[in-house]
Amino acid sequence: MKPAPFDYVAPQTIDEALQILADAGGGATILAGGQTLMPLLNLRMSQPFILVDINRIAGLQGVSRVDGATRVGPATRQFQALGDERLARDLPVFVEALSHVGHHQTRNRGTIGGSVALGEPAAEMPATAVALGATIEIRSQRGTRRVPAREFYVGPYLTVLEPDELVVAIDYPDWPQGHVTLFREVTQRPGDFALVGLVGALTVEGGRIARAGIAWFGMGPTPIAAVQAEAALVGKALSEIDPEAIAGLAVADTAPFTDHHASTEYRRTVGRRIFARQLREKLDIREAA
Amino acid sequence: MNAPGIPAGRFIGKRMPRKEDPRLLTGRGQFVDDIALPGMLHCAFARTPIARGKIVSIDTSAAREVPGVHMIYTAEDFADQTVRMRGFFVEQEVPVRTPPLCEGRIAHVGEPFAMVVADTRHIAEDACSLIELEYEEEDPVITMAQARTGAPVHPSMADNMAGMTGVDEIGAELQAKLDKSAFVIEEHVVHQRVAQSPMETRGIVATRDGPEEFTLYITCQSPHLVARWVTLTLDIPDMSIKVIAKDVGGSFGLKNNPWREETAVMIAALKFGRPLKWIEDRYEYFIGANQAREQEMTLKLGFDTEGHMTCGHGDYDNNNGAFPHGPGDNLAVHLFMWPAYKMPDYGFVTRGCYTNTPGQAAYRGPWQMESLIREAALDRAARRLNIEPYEIRRRNLITAADQPATTGMGIMVDDITPHECMEMLLEKFDVAAFRKEQAAARKEGRYLGLGIATYIEPTAVSGIMSSMTGEFAQVRIDPTGRVTASLSTHSQGHGTATTMAQVIADRIGVRYEDVTVFEGDNSTGAFGPGAAGSRQGVIAGGAAFTASDMLVEKVKAIAAHMLNANAESITIDDGVIHVAGAPEMSMPLRELAEVAHGHPARLPEGMVSGLEAQYRYQGLPMVMTSAAHLCVVEVSAETGFVEIKRWMSAEDCGTVINPAVVEGQIAGGLAQGIGCVLLEEIAFDARGNPTAATYKDYLLPTISDVPEFEFHHRNTPSKSTGGMRGVGEGGAIIGPPTLCNAIIDALTPFGELAIDLPFSPTKLLGFIEGRDLSGGH
């Protein structure tokens, strides 16, 4: 379990990294926290010619404010984001989801951008980006583009990123103070990828749902936005919400698979159940209203 | 500090800190991968990608061109080397020809077919990826059902039957008894295959140090057994074989004996002349190492109207894989199904079969399957009679009053206490109160369950099954007054350097800190089979007891002579020799040791100098350990998840040398038992590819999945010297029935849950909802 030979470079700036990616012609792989990549290298499931270590690029790290959003640098360590007071205050569900990523030890090295960009469909951070409506800023020598998280994921471990591109920022739009958060995941052991999970945010204005962002993880080839459920919720008075029906709509958007951890039908059944329960509990809706 | 009920000696019975821990916890242990020898090269194996077929050709030409590659071996390069493969029972060869490297017939995915020797492991793996294997693939035999009718895995054999004891049909007499019973419980258990998962994978460094000297650093369960194994397997009686395994990161039966890869490295080291290292990586471990369990069993139990067993019959199948460590129908294990119970008449058939999967190896708690099906069937009978699980056991267990008793299989018991262990738990757990809580919870849609299981285990087997024999201890008091002991024991984490030091310090009367135990090297101590069958604490403990007592006799004789006192009046405590009634005559043991070693003229007439004693304790044929466990679970009807809310253990392992070590053994075994029931599974697709090859997919219980256990100890001394009983495997044996019974009890509102392990959330939720949740594409 030793990696195949590769070259290693550790650029100091984003521009330097982009130059290396452009020159590599598709043979480069970016190393951030390495919590997924290092095992893949050791298993020889990933055999890049060049490993581009972005851990020394200061411009990719840290949490900051941009207009109407919180910007998270992709190389920000997960444990740093977990301890960030602004994130805890403004995006509590981001922090809640993050606390379920891997384990204490892996979060010391693992990065936000690494998790977002890898696109593991059962992971918390891609779904959180989708749910909260994040925008992913991507740069190459060809230019900069901003891709909504909802358009970023293509398949398992597959995103719209081109081989010469680098994620340089993830912008999470503001949600008003006091918004309602949704989070529940079902894992066989703490720290495992979810058999089924959901994450989301809702705002309530004048007794009605004004805004909804909800996504599934572990429920298909990518993180999946629960768009039908979102549409059904927005504009609805709390008293009119039927959690079971909304959960049914939410599950209708998913495409879960069967593997040796859980079946498609299990994921659908439990997904619907935890979705309805989250709505009931977080919106304080009485059962069988 | 002592656990309740444990008699305390000076050190026996105390939670002494383990002598091994400072070294292990600060990264200073010496495992095989820590060994680096001058000129050492590294090995990697190319492995078969299919489960069954014929090798057409192996092309190593491209691999040989890789800079840093020294040699590539295939089976034909080893043709001149005798290999008579054998398992833990070293005297016998295994019945299936098991070559170190695949000789042409591929029998499972992951078989080694070529070995690269290179400057580094990286280079060796680079070269492996360039070896081209051409093969003709055949349809594999994967399951036990396929084995019954499929083409033989080993073409030299007529069929896939590896072993069988008994006959398929139930005898007419037994059948008549079953028919006459008031009711019959039929229990069927499907137990998945699991991986033993030691933290340290297999590994070896082999070096030929001269024409007659062969040194092996190998992670194993006994350096002594390995030395004997190598001599016989490779037929090299003229070589001096030194085997060193100072620290071992777990084994659980897997490393009972070396196997194919280690043997290939040994042969290559003999041929190539430079030290060679191979460390199994975790991917190789999952696809190439021998595995455990994968059994199916049906048990029919007849009962009278009061719930007393009248008779029974067991039908047992075992998947041995392609190259098992043993011949395998697990017969010996089956013999111990009933010694704790009043079972008037029992018949059985056991079968082992070959399949195109990795071979079977031993695993901690070979009595697990039998204990699981027995205890589950008893609980079903209790529900049938509407009595508590403890009540059905009260009516069937052999109690103190019943002993001595000889059970149906001819096993005599005279000091077992499973019934008493169970009563000990019932004094501390209010079953009636629990039933009220359970009923109330059910009304809220919460499903609580109570599981109880009882068992006995034959431990410390000696003298009736080679290689299981006596254990050896040599204890010496050095001229400095320090005590040094050499034992036949070997620790894979068992803490024998601690427990044996406690025995020795206790018996001699020196400080615990002043005793050092050496083991883990076959030039130390003497032959012993190592850690297998929960034996070392019992038998080596007895050897340490007696050797220490013999040494004390010599100390007393010298002291009596030097102090002009009566030997009976002399005691040793805390490293100081005392004479009763004459405190002014007290003398440090060190002073006496100096005399014993350096001033023979001051010794009693005719006494030889030096201060050492050695003793081999043969032990009893076997020593029975008893236990009862109880656990409470809650099964979520929302997700099918199981939460363990409480777990109590009452075990009787006689004299407890160190309660922390005993509880550690029980807890570790329980963790493995919990893993078996809820999480772990080695499965194969139809082509024989494993579905889990990393710990992302093979789920071991973590610290979050294992509850705090409550330990209670009964201490009925055994008749073995020192009174110990083995305790290494009990948790792994009794954990699964206890937990399964609790889960089944929790879900009785939905019916009688059959045991098909692991109890995944998908299976349990499907049962709760009364529908098949397994599919849904």
Side-chain angles (χ1 to χ4, degrees), chain B residues 635 640 642 743 747 753 759-769:
Chain B
V635 184
V642 175
I743 294 168
L747 298 183
L753 172 68
F759 278 141
S760 66
T762 298
K763 280 183 202 161
L764 290 184
L765 194 64
F767 177 75
I768 290 166
E769 304 201 349

Side-chain angles (χ1 to χ4, degrees), chain B residues 264-314:
Chain B
V265 174
M266 290 177 209
I267 296 170
L270 288 171
K271 287 179 176 293
F272 196 66
R274 279 176 70 170
L276 300 183
K277 174 187 269 190
W278 171 68
I279 302 295
E280 179 179 57
D281 68 34
R282 195 56 78 173
Y283 179 70
E284 290 183 284
Y285 168 73
F286 273 115
I287 66 167
N290 282 35
Q291 299 164 339
R293 310 274 198 251
E294 197 177 350
Q295 301 144 338
E296 275 195 56
M297 186 169 172
T298 302
L299 176 66
K300 291 177 182 161
L301 287 185
F303 291 87
D304 68 15
T305 50
E306 267 83 53
H308 301 103
M309 288 187 286
T310 55
C311 62
H313 184 268

Side-chain angles (χ1 to χ4, degrees), chain B residues 244-510:
Chain B
I244 301 165
K246 184 174 179 189
D247 290 312
V248 174
S251 174
F252 313 113
L254 173 67
K255 302 170 186 169
N256 257 335
N257 48 271
W259 207 234
R260 303 178 72 184
E261 291 88 345
E262 298 97 311
T263 307
V265 174
M266 290 177 209
I267 296 170
L270 288 171
K271 287 179 176 293
F272 196 66
R274 279 176 70 170
L276 300 183
K277 174 187 269 190
W278 171 68
I279 302 295
E280 179 179 57
D281 68 34
R282 195 56 78 173
Y283 179 70
E284 290 183 284
Y285 168 73
F286 273 115
I287 66 167
N290 282 35
Q291 299 164 339
R293 310 274 198 251
E294 197 177 350
Q295 301 144 338
E296 275 195 56
M297 186 169 172
T298 302
L299 176 66
K300 291 177 182 161
L301 287 185
F303 291 87
D304 68 15
T305 50
E306 267 83 53
H308 301 103
M309 288 187 286
T310 55
C311 62
H313 184 268
D315 185 313
Y316 170 101
D317 285 290
N318 195 60
N319 188 339
N320 287 330
F323 299 107
H325 281 180
D329 62 352
N330 220 0
L331 163 67
V333 166
H334 208 70
L335 288 173
F336 292 96
M337 184 132 173
W338 293 111
Y341 288 90
K342 295 164 193 159
M343 164 50 86
D345 192 2
Y346 184 66
F348 67 89
V349 57
T350 74
R351 302 175 210 85
C353 63
Y354 295 113
T355 60
N356 292 115
T357 60
Q360 193 180 54
Y363 186 34
R364 188 182 203 177
W367 281 266
Q368 190 218 74
M369 177 67 166
E370 292 78 351
S371 304
L372 172 58
I373 197 164
R374 180 191 68 227
E375 297 299 312
L378 284 168
D379 267 30
R380 291 201 210 277
R383 280 190 294 278
R384 175 86 165 247
L385 293 167
N386 203 23
I387 58 175
E388 284 293 345
Y390 63 77
E391 187 54 39
I392 193 96
R393 288 175 177 79
R394 279 179 179 163
R395 294 179 193 181
N396 287 283
L397 277 168
I398 290 172
T399 67
D402 299 317
Q403 298 178 70
T406 301
T407 64
M409 300 281 194
I411 309 287
M412 205 274 282
V413 292
D414 59 2
D415 60 357
I416 65 169
T417 59
H419 178 262
E420 290 72 16
C421 286
M422 183 179 78
E423 297 297 335
M424 193 174 185
L425 292 180
L426 294 175
E427 282 166 22
K428 298 165 202 305
F429 185 91
D430 186 342
V431 175
F434 170 79
R435 292 299 177 203
K436 280 190 196 130
E437 187 189 345
Q438 183 182 42
R442 279 178 185 169
K443 286 186 187 138
E444 298 166 13
R446 291 172 51 234
Y447 296 94
L448 301 176
L450 170 66
I452 294 179
T454 46
Y455 94 118
I456 62 156
E457 183 191 5
T459 70
V461 169
S462 176
I464 53 174
M465 271 164 106
S466 180
S467 316
M468 299 203 185
T469 184
E471 295 281 342
F472 174 86
Q474 183 204 56
V475 184
R476 48 190 202 259
I477 301 171
D478 299 330
T480 58
R482 280 192 66 84
V483 178
T484 306
S486 263
L487 276 94
S488 56
T489 50
H490 189 223
S491 170
Q492 292 91 62
H494 303 85
T496 35
T498 294
T499 49
M500 295 302 109
Q502 283 180 252
V503 169
I504 293 163
D506 192 282
R507 298 305 293 177
I508 296 179
V510 293

Side-chain angles (χ1 to χ4, degrees), chain A residues 280 286-289:
Chain A
R280 279 199 303 272
R286 302 271 169 232
E287 215 160 328

Side-chain angles (χ1 to χ4, degrees), chain B residues 445-727:
Chain B
R446 291 172 51 234
Y447 296 94
L448 301 176
L450 170 66
I452 294 179
T454 46
Y455 94 118
I456 62 156
E457 183 191 5
T459 70
V461 169
S462 176
I464 53 174
M465 271 164 106
S466 180
S467 316
M468 299 203 185
T469 184
E471 295 281 342
F472 174 86
Q474 183 204 56
V475 184
R476 48 190 202 259
I477 301 171
D478 299 330
T480 58
R482 280 192 66 84
V483 178
T484 306
S486 263
L487 276 94
S488 56
T489 50
H490 189 223
S491 170
Q492 292 91 62
H494 303 85
T496 35
T498 294
T499 49
M500 295 302 109
Q502 283 180 252
V503 169
I504 293 163
D506 192 282
R507 298 305 293 177
I508 296 179
V510 293
R511 297 191 311 158
Y512 173 66
E513 295 81 358
D514 287 339
V515 181
T516 305
V517 169
F518 288 101
E519 54 181 3
D521 179 333
N522 74 322
S523 63
T524 292
F527 182 82
S534 303
R535 59 195 317 287
Q536 298 196 111
V538 183
I539 309 175
F545 241 81
T546 303
S548 301
D549 289 355
M550 288 162 67
L551 189 49
V552 165
E553 287 310 304
K554 183 163 186 180
V555 170
K556 285 183 177 175
I558 297 170
H561 181 71
M562 287 173 67
L563 300 170
N564 199 20
N566 189 329
E568 279 79 65
S569 67
I570 289 169
T571 54
I572 315 169
D573 192 33
D574 210 21
V576 179
I577 296 165
H578 302 283
V579 181
E584 73 284 359
M585 294 176 77
S586 294
M587 159 174 83
L589 181 59
R590 175 183 45 77
E591 255 182 67
L592 182 141
E594 284 172 2
V595 169
H597 286 281
H599 304 279
R602 293 177 61 190
L603 296 176
E605 181 88 31
M607 183 182 277
V608 293
S609 61
L611 208 50
E612 53 262 332
Q614 67 178 47
Y615 187 70
R616 174 173 285 276
Y617 180 47
Q618 184 57 43
L620 305 174
M622 66 181 77
V623 175
M624 294 291 186
T625 295
S626 309
H629 283 220
L630 182 156
C631 82
V632 175
V633 301
E634 179 169 349
V635 184
S636 164
E638 183 178 58
T639 62
F641 273 59
V642 175
E643 182 197 352
I644 301 171
K645 301 176 86 76
R646 189 171 183 192
W647 197 302
M648 302 166 73
S649 150
E651 109 295 336
D652 190 344
C653 68
T655 302
V656 169
I657 299 172
N658 185 326
V661 169
V662 165
E663 290 164 11
Q665 286 291 327
I666 297 169
L670 286 176
Q672 289 171 314
I674 290 166
C676 271
V677 173
L678 296 177
L679 293 165
E680 300 181 39
E681 183 171 30
I682 292 283
F684 302 92
D685 68 15
R687 303 305 299 170
N689 297 298
T691 57
T694 70
Y695 283 125
K696 179 174 178 282
D697 287 322
Y698 187 85
L699 306 180
L700 285 176
T702 68
I703 190 73
S704 322
D705 309 296
V706 178
E708 291 271 346
F709 303 113
E710 300 169 37
F711 298 102
H712 302 281
H713 303 278
R714 283 190 60 84
N715 304 99
T716 312
S718 72
K719 296 181 183 69
S720 189
T721 300
M724 289 78 79
R725 300 167 187 268
V727 73

